[in-house]
Amino acid sequence: MSASDLSGPGSSGPTRAIVLHPDITSDRDRREAGAALAEAVALAAALPDIEVVGAERVRLPKAQPGLLFGTGKIEELKTRIKEAEAELILIDGPVSPVQQRNLEKEWGVKLLDRTGLILEIFADRARTREGVLQVELAALSYQRTRLVRAWTHLERQRGGLGFVGGPGETQIEADRRAIDEAVTRIRRQLAKVVKTRALHRAARKKVPYPVVALVGYTNAGKSTLFNRLTGAEVMAKDMLFATLDPTMRAVELPDGSEVIMSDTVGFISDLPTQLVAAFRATLEEVLDADLILHVRDVAHAETEEQAEDVAAILADLGVTQSTPMIEVWNKIDLLDEERRGELTVAAGRRDDVFAISAITGQGVDTLLAAVSERLAPPRFRAELDLAFFDGRKRAWLFDQGVVETERQTETGWHLSVFWTARQQKAFRSA
């Protein structure tokens, strides 16, 4: 996305934005305002060509139906917007179409709510054909009731949706039939892509490799851990939604077995329902996983709340208690020595929690050993007699670590082995 797309016509440089977090005191389920505002600022920073020139928590007894804020606060904010020369207001929360139109008229600037901002970020990050189509479908669902932006972005071959600016930004597009036609076209294209991916998944199931899915709140360090485990070079930055499209790689475990590791999109609180629906197909990798690694940023002040958000989204996707899960307490390198020691001891008391640092590698070997143990197929004992000329087979058995006892006979060796059905099959075909 270029600067000219984000800024208005004739302007240059990044779009100057102010982030507002409505702290509605009547909402009993509201998040801690300071942490919520910090996350909203981080979301804004995740979008290229946005310069955050102000951020403010706005206390409200309740949301006003037409303008969200009271008239006095609107005038106060209007003055602040002019002083900061802001061109964009980002509201950390839901804004109705009526509120959006009224506030844009009052302040003379563009406005995005939390859903619109996350959609814009996803559009900028999507790289695969499926990801692009899913974001466009979610965006159409979101914008259908608003009809205050042009739909020229559907023809563009670049990231971004055009909510912030771009061609035709002042044109009011009121033809819902055009939107519905676009939805039909995208769904048709998406169905083909999803069918192809389903065939790929079916082919993978024929290969006896279990799937391990990394899930977690955005910026918890999933991609950093994925890169360390797989040697891949997935984008990993201290940024919300640094990666979007799922990536899969083979990983060899300490016991010599292999698994397919899948890195998925990060979750976030109040994830737009349009995106949960649109990305359900992509996140089916999680549903099909043999083991889920829930990566948590334990250095974050709201790590418990983030874990609850992830659990809620997993439940919404249909992940049940039957799928084994390991909690990975990541970023212990960012904690002071006392706190790091406390968490390491606490994790050591449980067999489903491991404290690690994906950056330094601390605890990663122990985690991999646990993954091996969780995914280990059933083993059984067998007795084998090998002739002296079967030295290669004997060496293979020792290399696999399956030999329990061995004694030499007149014609060769008698061995007691403890192995899996897969190892037995490989031995017989060797």
Side-chain angles (χ1 to χ4, degrees):
M1 182 180 290
S2 66
S4 61
D5 292 320
L6 285 163
S7 307
S11 62
S12 60
T15 299
R16 296 171 64 84
I18 292 178
V19 179
L20 301 177
H21 173 71
D23 185 17
I24 303 174
T25 55
S26 60
D27 182 3
R28 294 182 179 180
D29 296 327
R30 75 185 193 276
R31 300 174 61 201
E32 196 281 314
L37 181 60
E39 182 177 273
V41 171
L43 277 172
L47 195 60
D49 299 313
I50 288 286
E51 178 188 358
V52 178
V53 296
E56 184 176 335
R57 164 196 177 190
V58 183
R59 287 182 64 88
L60 294 172
K62 63 178 181 178
Q64 300 299 317
L67 289 164
L68 183 62
F69 307 106
T71 53
K73 178 57 70 173
I74 286 178
E75 285 302 316
E76 179 186 329
L77 291 171
K78 184 176 183 179
T79 301
R80 210 161 298 169
I81 291 167
K82 286 185 177 180
E83 290 174 350
E85 298 181 347
E87 308 156 87
L88 174 67
I89 300 299
L90 301 172
I91 305 291
D92 183 35
V95 178
S96 71
V98 171
Q99 290 169 340
Q100 179 179 353
R101 287 193 291 268
N102 290 341
L103 288 173
E104 287 183 335
K105 184 177 179 181
E106 289 284 340
W107 290 336
V109 295
K110 300 167 190 172
L111 184 143
L112 273 183
D113 67 358
R114 183 181 177 88
T115 296
L117 176 59
I118 293 175
L119 284 169
E120 188 73 29
I121 294 169
F122 271 50
D124 184 71
R125 300 286 159 75
R127 293 293 177 267
T128 65
R129 180 61 176 159
E130 183 178 9
V132 171
L133 290 171
Q134 286 173 326
V135 172
E136 288 188 353
L137 188 60
L140 286 170
S141 174
Y142 168 72
Q143 286 286 353
R144 190 179 186 279
T145 59
R146 297 178 183 249
L147 295 173
V148 292
R149 293 289 179 266
W151 300 103
T152 54
H153 67 275
L154 294 176
E155 306 305 323
R156 284 185 261 165
Q157 300 298 315
R158 59 165 182 79
L161 294 169
F163 296 167
V164 182
E169 62 183 302
T170 61
Q171 175 186 342
I172 303 299
E173 174 55 74
D175 190 352
R176 290 191 179 183
R177 184 176 60 185
I179 299 174
D180 291 339
E181 288 175 355
V183 167
T184 301
R185 173 175 54 83
I186 292 173
R187 282 179 174 163
R188 193 176 296 122
Q189 294 173 347
L190 189 57
K192 293 180 181 178
V193 177
V194 171
K195 184 177 181 180
T196 300
R197 193 168 50 78
L199 292 174
H200 290 167
R201 188 189 298 118
R204 279 201 308 273
K205 284 184 176 180
K206 295 179 181 179
V207 180
Y209 295 145
V211 175
V212 178
L214 299 177
V215 303
Y217 206 82
T218 184
N219 210 31
K222 296 189 305 352
S223 294
T224 302
L225 178 59
F226 183 82
N227 289 344
R228 175 170 286 278
L229 296 178
T230 66
E233 296 182 356
V234 173
M235 181 183 179
K237 290 187 177 181
D238 185 16
M239 176 190 294
L240 300 186
F241 299 119
T243 53
L244 173 59
D245 295 305
T247 308
M248 307 188 81
R249 294 286 189 278
V251 175
E252 184 174 339
L253 297 177
D255 63 0
S257 62
E258 286 190 342
V259 299
I260 301 296
M261 192 74 66
S262 174
D263 184 21
T264 61
V265 61
F267 299 157
I268 195 168
S269 64
D270 302 321
L271 186 68
T273 54
Q274 295 93 341
L275 279 178
V276 173
F279 279 84
R280 187 177 297 274
T282 302
L283 292 170
E284 281 175 1
E285 301 295 351
V286 178
L287 294 175
D288 286 344
D290 298 280
L291 176 66
I292 294 175
L293 300 186
H294 175 190
V295 183
R296 291 177 52 182
D297 175 3
V298 291
H300 196 283
E302 290 196 314
T303 182
E304 294 296 337
E305 290 81 0
Q306 291 180 353
E308 291 174 3
D309 289 329
V310 170
I313 294 173
L314 287 176
D316 185 54
L317 288 170
V319 176
T320 65
Q321 297 293 332
S322 62
T323 303
M325 185 181 301
I326 289 176
E327 271 198 14
V328 182
W329 291 355
N330 190 28
K331 301 192 181 182
I332 60 173
D333 55 295
L334 300 181
L335 301 171
D336 59 54
E337 187 174 346
E338 181 181 356
R339 181 60 176 157
R340 184 164 60 247
E342 290 175 354
L343 285 182
T344 302
V345 171
R349 293 179 180 143
R350 297 172 55 180
D351 60 3
D352 61 343
V353 175
F354 294 86
I356 73 157
S357 167
I359 286 288
T360 67
Q362 180 181 348
V364 172
D365 289 343
T366 306
L367 171 63
L368 277 179
V371 171
S372 295
E373 185 178 341
R374 290 292 184 95
L375 295 176
R379 292 174 178 265
F380 60 93
R381 287 181 170 82
E383 304 292 322
L384 300 176
D385 287 300
L386 296 180
F388 285 119
F389 57 78
D390 284 328
R392 287 181 60 184
K393 286 191 173 184
R394 176 174 174 270
W396 183 89
L397 291 170
F398 277 97
D399 185 58
Q400 291 289 310
V402 299
V403 178
E404 289 189 315
T405 62
E406 178 192 49
R407 62 181 173 83
Q408 190 169 324
T409 65
E410 292 183 359
T411 58
W413 299 278
H414 180 83
L415 304 96
S416 297
V417 297
F418 189 52
W419 57 8
T420 66
R422 183 181 174 190
Q423 288 171 322
Q424 182 189 48
K425 184 178 179 181
F427 171 78
R428 289 177 173 173
S429 62

